């Protein structure tokens, strides 16, 4: 042991949970050390949210030019476009680099000490860090230990990662494009990346064990996405279990519910069947913290079962979302600084960046019913929205769910091109306790997709203006 350090707060993990906690702690004057073994920014900035959205944008632009090369009602004509995937990936890496460097600069600005290396928990107040650069070990003592080690992709026992079987991490940095890609899992990661590859010209088949894609969302919301996948020529095989690679390794063997087997030729297989909290391999077991399934159990202040040991983000389980991790991280820093906080958001928005996109906040009509609430709900279709027409984006709708007795809004859902940007309006309205009349009575700029938000509220009140 070459060095011993002391700090008030020690954060393990420099993802959106850990780095936001450290920045806020720095702002509040708490001596803070953050340990990260890979790149600052974690899954989100390096191999998750940001790179996937960059590739989604690139694929969409390429797909548009392909459509223009055929025929365009807009009168645009282009010659046969091509994609230089190396350059696309380099562009995406440039964005990642800019953001991760930005995180480093923010941590420095707020006086956070960043230690690059592998953290190994000794006890609730002691962590050893082995430097990546020279193998040297530092022992760090802390008053508060914040666990923000994130999650990792779940492997299929019948088809472990390696060779042509890849996770989202490798799929986000292709050196060349495969001719045929099989995606296992029709959750949002599988569908976002499957759509990217299809738009870049790859022959894509998605295999899902359940009877529907995007099982976390209701059927009405998912339908426009399913229809778009069909239009784009993405094969979707529902109710099929993956058995493994064929003997020659050139295909994926799948089986339907009746036990009938078939093979799907594949040059690459993307396994996107979920992520699990990263709880192993770094001494966490020694703390014997209470678990909630595979995740760490936390209370509404992100406290674990051990005093002054906190956990946030993916390590604490579903929903695994970057903005949730950030909000938890900010709160923990404030609690350590002595502020009174609890984590009781009215809504945690979630976006699925498929084409079209899905955004949800709060309860769906079915959730409200299951919770025993008497609710009314109403939708407004983008087919009746002028801005949607000018964007050639009339597929989809905005839906509101509100209590029948006092019209308090308890949920929003939307599906359509660009609806991710409605997430802010949805969660703000819920955090502020808005009623249908508040949204219906707010002047929304024309022509915008947001007018569908106002119209959905008006429709729930029985007097939509444009339908
Ligand atoms: C392809 C993909 C797309 C996604 N898209 C979205 C999206 O659009 N929106 C959204 O909200 N979420 C998205 N997510 C999920 C999002 O990335 C995670 O919810 C978020 O990154 C969780 O943040 P975190 O801080 O908990 O953990 P992470 O971001 O996983 O960070 C944990 C960090 O801890 C480090 N670490 C772990 N163990 C140790 C150790 N022993 N020593 C030192 N360092 C350690 C890791 O290297 C990592 O950098 C996506 C995920 C993937 C994979």
């Amino acid at each position: 042991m070459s060095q011993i350090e002391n700090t008030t707060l020690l954060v393990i993990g420099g993802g959106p949970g850990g780095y936001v906690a450290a920045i806020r702690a720095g702002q509040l004057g708490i001596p803070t050390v953050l340990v990260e073994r890979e790149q600052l920014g974690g899954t989100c900035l390096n191999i998750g949210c940001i790179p996937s959205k960059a590739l989604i944008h690139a694929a969409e632009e390429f797909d548009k030019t392909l459509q223009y090369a055929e025929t365009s009602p807009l009168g645009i004509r282009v010659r046969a476009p091509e994609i230089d995937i190396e350059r696309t990936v380099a562009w995406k890496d440039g964005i990642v680099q800019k953001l991760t460097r930005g995180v480093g600069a923010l941590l420095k600005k707020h006086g956070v000490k960043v230690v690059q290396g592998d953290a190994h928990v000794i006890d609730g107040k002691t962590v050893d860090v082995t430097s990546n650069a020279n193998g040297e070990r530092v022992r760090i003592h802390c008053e508060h230990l914040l666990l923000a080690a994130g999650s990792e992709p779940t492997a299929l026992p019948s088809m472990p990662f390696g060779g042509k079987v890849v996770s989202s991490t490798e799929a986000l940095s292709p050196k060349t494009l495969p001719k045929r890609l099989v995606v296992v899992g029709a959750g949002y990661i599988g569908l976002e990346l499957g759509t990217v590859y299809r738009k870049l010209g790859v022959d894509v088949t998605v295999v899902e064990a359940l009877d529907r894609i995007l099982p976390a969302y209701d059927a009405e919301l998912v339908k426009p996405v399913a229809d778009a996948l069909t239009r784009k020529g993405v094969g979707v095989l529902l109710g099929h279990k993956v058995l493994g690679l064929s003997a020659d390794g050139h295909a994926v063997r799948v089986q339907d519910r009746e036990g009938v087997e078939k093979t799907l030729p594949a040059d690459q297989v993307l396994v996107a069947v979920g992520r699990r909290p990263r709880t192993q391999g770094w001494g966490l077991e020694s703390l014997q913290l209470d678990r909630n399934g595979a995740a760490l159990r936390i209370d509404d202040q992100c406290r674990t079962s051990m005093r002054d040991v906190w956990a946030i983000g993916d390590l604490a389980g579903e929903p695994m979302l970057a903005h949730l991790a950030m909000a938890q991280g900010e709160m923990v820093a404030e609690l350590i600084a002595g502020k009174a906080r609890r984590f009781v958001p009215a809504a945690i928005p979630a976006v699925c960046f498929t084409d079209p996109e899905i955004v949800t906040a709060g309860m769906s009509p079915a959730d409200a019913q299951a919770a025993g609430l008497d609710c009314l709900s109403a939708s407004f279709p983008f087919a009746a929205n002028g801005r949607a027409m000018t964007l050639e984006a009339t597929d989809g709708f905005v839906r509101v769910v509100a209590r029948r007795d006092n019209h308090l809004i308890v949920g929003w859902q939307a599906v359509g091109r660009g609806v991710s940007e409605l997430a802010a309006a949805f969660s703000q309205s819920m955090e502020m306790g808005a009623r249908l009349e508040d949204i219906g009575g707010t002047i929304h700029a024309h022509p915008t997709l947001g007018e569908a938000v106002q119209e959905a509220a008006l429709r729930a009140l029985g007097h939509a203006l444009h339908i």
Side-chain angles (χ1 to χ4, degrees):
M1 190 72 49
S2 51
Q3 246 182 298
I4 295 189
E5 283 201 25
N6 290 292
T7 186
T8 303
L9 171 61
L10 173 58
V11 183
I12 299 182
Y19 86 69
V20 166
I23 288 174
R24 186 68 187 122
Q27 288 172 344
L28 292 162
I30 301 167
T32 301
V33 173
L34 182 147
V35 188
E36 171 55 58
R37 66 173 162 209
E38 289 176 31
Q39 303 298 320
L40 288 171
T43 302
C44 173
L45 263 50
N46 294 285
I47 50 169
C49 326
I50 295 296
S52 59
K53 271 77 241 182
L55 288 193
I56 286 170
H57 173 67
E60 253 167 31
E61 295 302 298
F62 181 61
D63 187 51
K64 252 188 235 169
T65 61
L66 284 178
Q67 287 170 30
Y68 295 153
E70 286 171 10
T71 165
S72 159
L74 279 61
I76 301 170
R77 296 273 176 273
V78 295
R79 297 234 172 86
E82 287 175 19
I83 184 90
D84 176 351
I85 193 67
E86 260 183 65
R87 192 150 178 189
T88 312
V89 170
W91 167 76
K92 177 266 296 179
D93 289 343
I95 297 171
V96 169
Q97 223 174 60
K98 205 167 175 176
L99 287 169
T100 52
R101 281 194 190 141
V103 168
L106 287 169
L107 289 167
K108 194 169 172 195
K109 175 176 160 193
H110 295 293
V112 175
K113 177 166 184 185
V114 175
V115 178
Q116 198 71 43
D118 229 315
H120 189 89
V121 173
I122 304 297
D123 61 40
K125 301 224 176 284
T126 317
V127 171
D128 281 352
V129 183
T130 309
S131 160
N132 290 341
N134 53 20
E136 268 183 28
R137 206 138 49 98
V138 188
R139 175 154 290 188
I140 306 177
H141 293 292
C142 60
E143 285 171 37
H144 295 270
L145 178 58
L146 174 54
L147 309 171
S151 62
E152 54 203 359
T154 308
L156 277 179
S158 60
M159 207 167 50
F161 292 122
K164 65 168 61 172
V165 182
V166 301
S167 73
S168 55
T169 304
E170 294 77 29
L172 286 167
S173 291
K175 292 194 172 57
T176 55
L177 289 170
K179 213 167 152 310
R180 292 159 308 184
L181 173 73
V182 169
V183 178
V184 185
Y188 84 93
I189 293 179
L191 291 189
E192 284 184 8
L193 289 175
T195 305
V196 164
Y197 274 70
R198 179 67 201 129
K199 287 183 176 176
L200 295 177
V202 176
D203 192 351
V204 175
T205 305
V206 179
V207 185
E208 167 60 54
L210 300 177
D211 282 329
R212 40 182 305 208
I213 61 166
L214 297 173
Y217 300 95
D218 66 69
E220 213 185 337
L221 273 177
V222 166
K223 188 172 181 306
V225 178
D227 291 347
L229 289 172
T230 307
R231 275 199 305 277
K232 274 274 154 253
V234 175
V236 179
L237 220 51
L238 299 174
H240 278 73
K241 195 167 82 179
V242 168
L243 301 175
L245 286 178
S246 60
D248 64 5
H250 296 318
V252 178
R253 289 169 49 231
V254 297
Q255 188 183 51
D256 70 12
R257 294 249 161 77
E258 276 72 53
V260 179
E261 275 191 36
K262 68 165 118 172
T263 52
L264 305 170
D267 305 304
Q268 193 168 69
V269 185
L270 164 61
V271 175
V273 293
R275 295 181 65 84
R276 53 151 201 252
R278 193 182 277 119
T279 51
Q280 278 162 12
W282 50 287
L284 182 66
E285 305 84 350
S286 65
L287 300 184
Q288 297 193 349
L289 300 174
D290 285 357
R291 300 286 175 107
N292 182 8
L296 293 188
R297 183 189 294 280
I298 53 170
D299 67 8
D300 62 0
Q301 291 184 315
C302 294
R303 294 178 194 271
T304 66
S305 51
M306 186 179 276
R307 195 188 176 93
D308 295 335
V309 176
W310 314 72
I312 56 175
D314 288 6
L315 191 60
E318 297 288 348
M320 292 189 182
L321 294 167
H323 43 281
L324 170 60
M326 292 190 215
Q328 291 175 323
E330 192 221 14
M331 178 190 71
V332 169
E334 296 203 345
L335 282 165
I336 292 171
K339 292 184 189 287
R341 292 285 311 267
R342 288 211 177 266
F343 196 74
V344 277
I348 300 167
V351 177
C352 183
F353 289 84
T354 40
D355 181 9
E357 296 171 348
I358 294 178
V359 54
T360 59
M363 291 191 244
S364 67
D367 295 335
Q369 197 179 13
L373 290 179
D374 182 17
C375 282
L376 42 89
S377 88
S379 304
F380 187 84
F382 284 117
N385 174 279
R387 180 61 177 147
M389 284 182 208
T390 66
L391 292 170
E392 302 175 281
T394 49
D395 261 6
F397 58 88
V398 174
R399 183 171 64 199
V400 66
V401 186
R403 279 173 56 154
R404 196 179 300 277
D405 56 355
N406 59 9
H407 295 174
L408 181 76
I409 294 169
V410 297
W412 288 103
Q413 300 85 42
V415 55
R417 177 112 34 100
V419 294
S420 51
E421 293 303 328
L422 299 180
F426 289 175
S427 26
Q428 274 168 12
S429 74
M430 292 183 64
E431 284 298 340
M432 298 180 83
R435 285 156 207 266
L436 291 170
E437 289 79 356
D438 298 318
I439 305 303
T442 301
I443 296 175
H444 286 64
H446 177 75
T448 60
L449 297 178
E451 286 173 282
V453 176
Q454 181 185 18
E455 288 279 9
L458 289 174
R459 201 170 188 197
L461 292 169
H463 50 89
L465 292 165
H466 290 91
I467 196 162

